[in-house]
Structures are given as C-alpha cells and as structure tokens.
Amino acid sequence: MLRLEKNPEELIGRNIWDEFPDLVGSKAYEEYHRAVTEQMPVNSELFYPPLACYFDIRAFPSQDGLSVYLQDVTERKRAEDSLRERARTAMLGADVGLALTQGATIRDMLSRCAEGIVQHLDAAFARVWTLNAEENVLELQASAGMYTHTNGPHGRVPVGQFKIGLIAEERKPHLTNAVVGDERVGDQEWAKREGMIAFAGYPLIVDDRLVGVIG
C-alpha cells in the first residue's frame, strides 16, 4: 500500500509542490503542467526515490483543476526487469555456447565470449585472460568493446598484482559500483576521464584449478 507519510487531512487544500518539493522539476511536475496547459489527459510512469516506488500516473484536466490518479506499479516493474534480465542472460549463454563450439582457436572462442558480454550486458568493454601456469602470469587473450587491443600494460598481468592479478590470486570475484575511489583500480584519472562507474571481475576455475580471469 502506498504511504505518503501524510494524512489526507494534512493535504486537502494545500499546494502539492509545497508538500512534496522534491517533485518540482520531475516528470510528474512536467506532465501535470502539460495536462493543464494543453487541456488534455496525460499518462506516464514515474520512479519516486523517497518511496523507492514506480507509479503509473494519469492526469485529467477540467475547468476546476486537475484530477490525478496514481497506481503503484513497482511489483510489475520489478517483474519486467527480472524477465528482461533472464532473457539477456539466456541470450548471452546461447552466444557463449556457440562461441565454444564454433570458434576455431581458443583466442577466437574467448573473443566471441567477450563480444557477447559487451552486447548482452551493456558492458563498456570485456576482457579475458588465461593463466600461464609456468610463469604465473595472466595473458590477455580477448578484448571487446571500447578496447579491442590485447597488447600493452594489461597484456601480461602477474598473479597477485593489480585488480586482475588479485582476483586470480584470491580466486574471488571483485565487484564494485564505485570504480572511482576503488583502491584496486590503479589509474583513477583514466576511470574519471572515461566515466567508469562499475566493474565486475571473476576468476575462471575448472575442476578447482584456476585457468584465467574475466573482467
């Protein structure tokens, strides 16, 4: 049930923008004014952060003012988001399956996997390293998205160094939604310049044996 943390008696006869100032300038604010200005009904959806809820908004102008009907559609939106996420994951799984069966070489297979991650997960870029066990070094085999080269500083990463090497050493994923400020991201200027927000890196383990890192 929707709770505005105000009783109806507190709202009757009051200016809605005074009572809910955080709505000023929002989509609801614009739609309400459009309905009155154009004298036509409007219908839109709004996410309201203070309540962490989605609302279906229907506004109907009249000579006396504006009638507004709100419906909490949060559960529906969450179900839709969950369905989209499952569909994206399924498509990625299908692409990875094709890559592993149709790729001519390991590098070709991993390149297709990286491309699938960028395409289906909206990643800025994706890279795959394999472990050179003799030298204890991760070697970059595939890179897709905004960076496609496999040479340079990230071409060979010693296990235990930098964020990728630490993922391999610890055999644990590293996830962050704050790349800028993350102590494991060494080049903070690059992160700021490119607008990097989130990072996800995972160790690749087969039969309890580390074979690489994806991130």
Side-chain angles (χ1 to χ4, degrees):
M1 179 180 294
L2 172 62
R3 297 185 61 186
L4 297 178
E5 299 180 353
K6 292 179 182 289
N7 296 321
E9 293 77 13
E10 298 179 87
L11 298 175
I12 294 176
R14 305 297 296 272
N15 186 307
I16 185 175
W17 312 124
D18 292 338
E19 297 302 314
F20 300 98
D22 49 332
L23 284 176
V24 174
S26 69
K27 187 175 182 180
Y29 181 90
E30 295 174 354
E31 290 294 274
Y32 292 171
H33 281 80
R34 184 166 72 89
V36 173
T37 301
E38 300 179 6
Q39 283 296 294
M40 61 177 292
V42 297
N43 179 210
S44 63
E45 286 188 350
L46 167 75
F47 178 71
Y48 188 50
L51 296 178
C53 291
Y54 287 91
F55 295 99
D56 178 76
I57 302 173
R58 298 175 186 270
F60 301 89
S62 66
Q63 293 182 345
D64 299 322
L66 186 69
S67 298
V68 178
Y69 301 88
L70 300 178
Q71 181 181 8
D72 187 343
V73 294
T74 305
E75 290 304 316
R76 190 198 76 199
K77 293 289 290 185
R78 287 175 178 168
E80 291 174 351
D81 290 345
S82 178
L83 184 61
R84 279 194 294 269
E85 186 64 27
R86 288 199 297 270
R88 283 158 45 125
T89 301
M91 287 188 289
L92 174 60
D95 279 1
V96 169
L98 287 174
L100 297 179
T101 56
Q102 296 182 359
T105 64
I106 289 293
R107 177 161 287 192
D108 182 38
M109 293 178 191
L110 297 180
S111 292
R112 294 189 185 195
C113 290
E115 290 166 2
I117 291 172
V118 170
Q119 178 182 353
H120 297 299
L121 301 186
D122 295 329
F125 64 95
R127 289 170 168 167
V128 185
W129 291 260
T130 57
L131 176 66
N132 181 328
E134 292 184 1
E135 299 182 32
N136 204 32
V137 168
L138 294 162
E139 298 176 337
L140 184 58
Q141 301 293 338
S143 184
M146 62 188 295
Y147 301 116
T148 57
H149 60 277
T150 55
N151 54 3
H154 290 89
R156 287 171 57 85
V157 180
V159 172
Q161 294 188 22
F162 311 113
K163 64 179 183 294
I164 298 301
L166 287 170
I167 291 171
E169 182 179 59
E170 297 171 356
R171 296 192 173 198
K172 294 180 180 179
H174 179 61
L175 311 173
T176 179
N177 285 321
V179 170
V180 176
D182 188 323
E183 61 182 11
R184 290 198 173 192
V185 178
D187 194 344
Q188 288 289 302
E189 289 304 316
W190 163 82
K192 294 176 183 177
R193 183 175 65 253
E194 298 296 342
M196 294 297 164
I197 297 174
F199 169 81
Y202 297 86
L204 300 176
I205 298 174
V206 177
D207 294 332
D208 201 36
R209 181 170 60 90
L210 178 74
V211 297
V213 171
I214 186 168

